[in-house]
Amino acid sequence: MLGIMTAYACPRCRTHAPASALTWCCPKCRGPWDLDFTAAPVPLASLPSRVNSLWRYTEALPLATATPRVTLGEGRTPLVPLTDTVSAKLDFLMPTLSFKDRGAVMLAELALRLQPRTVIADSSGNAGTAVAAYCARAGLDCAVYVPEGTSPKKLEQIRAHGARAVVVAGDREATAEAAREAADEPGVFYASHVYNPHFLHGTKTYAYELWEDLGGRLPNTLVVPVGNGTLLLGVALAVEELYAHGLVDHRPALVAVQAEAVSPLAAAFHAGADELPGPAEPRPTLAEGIAIPNPPRAAQILRAVRASGGTFLTVTEDRIRAAQTDLARRGLYVEPTGVACWAAVRATHGLGTTVVPLCGAGAKTGMAGQSVQ
């Protein structure tokens, strides 16, 4: 039984489609879907007695049921101080060692209800490992498209979960194109962390957890790494929901962080643009997980940051290396992409109380500039 299913809505041309279909993008403009879903308020006082996973925020989740069939106990990651005003949320302590579990569990739950012939995903590593793991939990056939040069440890993890790793010659964009072509085949569920909005409704639990852990408050500033923007857009969703229901008294500023080497969104933001003028030139960066030259949700990301009163920051490769070493010396071993926000915040003052996410474990990639043996 599918239970209550919501509808997809295209934010560009207002086309609609049922979420019970395998339509992975808007058939008119080929853009990513939004979800026609209204969250109900989550009662803070009831949370201590609830299930210890992100499914505890049932009123805010579009696929919530009394007994969700897919979970690995994801969510509820620790919040630890780094300075007097900056705390880190340790999302690298998720079951597959990255924050992508928040969205992957939603996609796997949806796929289980739709019963496709196969599930495919594309990823530079973390989203692919998360989808592979949750498909394994759900008993779903899965293939993950990855670019050449993906960390051997991430490939090992994908295959260990029983998924097929399809290595694509070329960069992250070429990998996405190959996966989208395969997604048009009959009976395929495209578990896209970019195009499917259920993923964003999973990542928004990051902010719900902060709200719960801070006793019904949010910090002044939320600093978020941005490539395709799945965490930032999820956080923006949560902030708007919490504020609309009167559960917080202010909206935090959203500060988006990109690697200086690949920073098309930061350039567009500071130029006052509403869209990207075109794809950025792909350049090597240690922060491979956010090296996205042409994010499909660019306009939404720019709009969300501006609406919050936030900004974009960029970090150099040297600052990424230094931040990773600094966190390791504090006992936190995080992959280079996952340290980007700390790299930005270390050199920034005046943000007030701030939370940064540490998104992926260092065990997946090793230290910056070193190969994993």
Side-chain angles (χ1 to χ4, degrees):
M1 181 176 177
L2 294 179
I4 297 174
M5 299 293 285
T6 50
Y8 293 133
C10 177
R12 296 177 185 173
C13 61
R14 310 315 305 170
T15 298
H16 287 74
S20 57
L22 296 177
T23 309
W24 64 268
C25 69
C26 174
K28 288 187 178 179
C29 70
R30 301 288 284 183
W33 290 120
D34 280 348
L35 202 60
D36 188 5
F37 169 76
T38 301
V42 176
L44 183 64
S46 72
L47 292 176
S49 63
R50 293 192 178 188
V51 62
N52 197 34
S53 77
L54 62 76
W55 292 108
R56 69 200 282 112
Y57 308 111
T58 180
E59 293 88 351
L61 297 177
L63 295 174
T65 67
T67 55
R69 292 179 287 174
V70 184
T71 184
L72 289 168
E74 58 290 323
R76 308 295 295 132
T77 55
L79 186 65
V80 301
L82 296 178
T83 71
D84 289 344
T85 58
V86 181
S87 295
K89 189 158 175 59
L90 310 190
D91 260 25
F92 69 92
L93 298 181
M94 289 281 193
T96 76
L97 308 182
S98 91
F99 87 95
K100 296 288 177 63
D101 290 12
R102 295 186 183 277
V105 66
M106 299 293 289
L107 296 183
E109 177 73 21
L110 177 59
L112 186 61
R113 300 182 189 193
L114 300 181
Q115 287 294 304
R117 171 174 56 84
T118 190
V119 175
I120 67 168
D122 63 282
S123 168
S124 59
N126 283 335
T129 58
V131 170
Y134 283 90
C135 282
R137 188 70 171 178
L140 295 165
D141 182 79
C142 179
V144 180
Y145 288 65
V146 298
E148 59 184 356
T150 295
S151 162
K153 287 294 182 183
K154 292 179 180 178
L155 287 173
E156 178 183 327
Q157 188 178 5
I158 288 169
R159 290 166 175 151
H161 292 309
R164 298 179 302 286
V166 181
V167 180
V168 178
D171 59 13
R172 182 67 183 82
E173 195 64 22
T175 304
E177 287 295 329
R180 291 168 198 161
E181 183 177 346
D184 285 329
E185 297 177 5
V188 173
F189 176 79
Y190 185 23
S192 173
H193 57 293
V194 181
Y195 280 79
N196 194 306
H198 288 89
F199 196 95
L200 306 182
H201 284 269
T203 61
K204 76 181 180 185
T205 60
Y206 173 90
Y208 273 92
E209 287 179 19
L210 289 177
W211 168 74
E212 179 183 356
D213 290 342
L214 296 174
R217 297 180 296 107
L218 288 173
N220 298 110
T221 309
L222 292 171
V223 183
V224 186
V226 173
N228 276 309
T230 56
L231 182 55
L232 183 138
L233 291 173
V235 167
L237 270 174
V239 168
E240 289 305 312
E241 290 170 0
L242 289 166
Y243 188 80
H245 293 308
L247 297 174
V248 294
D249 59 7
H250 77 285
R251 298 179 178 92
L254 302 180
V255 174
V257 177
Q258 296 204 287
E260 186 178 276
V262 186
S263 52
L265 289 162
F269 180 88
H270 292 298
D274 295 328
E275 295 267 8
L276 296 186
E281 178 186 352
R283 295 167 57 194
T285 175
L286 296 166
E288 60 180 8
I290 54 174
I292 309 298
N294 191 27
R297 294 188 185 269
Q300 290 176 275
I301 296 165
L302 293 167
R303 188 163 56 247
V305 174
R306 287 196 176 102
S308 76
T311 190
F312 272 81
L313 301 174
T314 61
V315 290
T316 64
E317 302 303 292
D318 285 345
R319 286 169 65 189
I320 291 171
R321 289 188 187 91
Q324 188 185 34
T325 299
D326 178 75
L327 286 172
R329 297 294 185 267
R330 297 166 182 259
L332 301 169
Y333 187 29
V334 185
E335 68 178 356
T337 298
V339 308
C341 290
W342 178 233
V345 168
R346 289 177 77 203
T348 305
H349 303 285
L351 295 178
T353 57
T354 305
V355 174
V356 299
L358 304 184
C359 295
K364 289 191 169 195
T365 56
M367 293 294 287
Q370 300 179 17
S371 60
V372 178
Q373 301 297 319

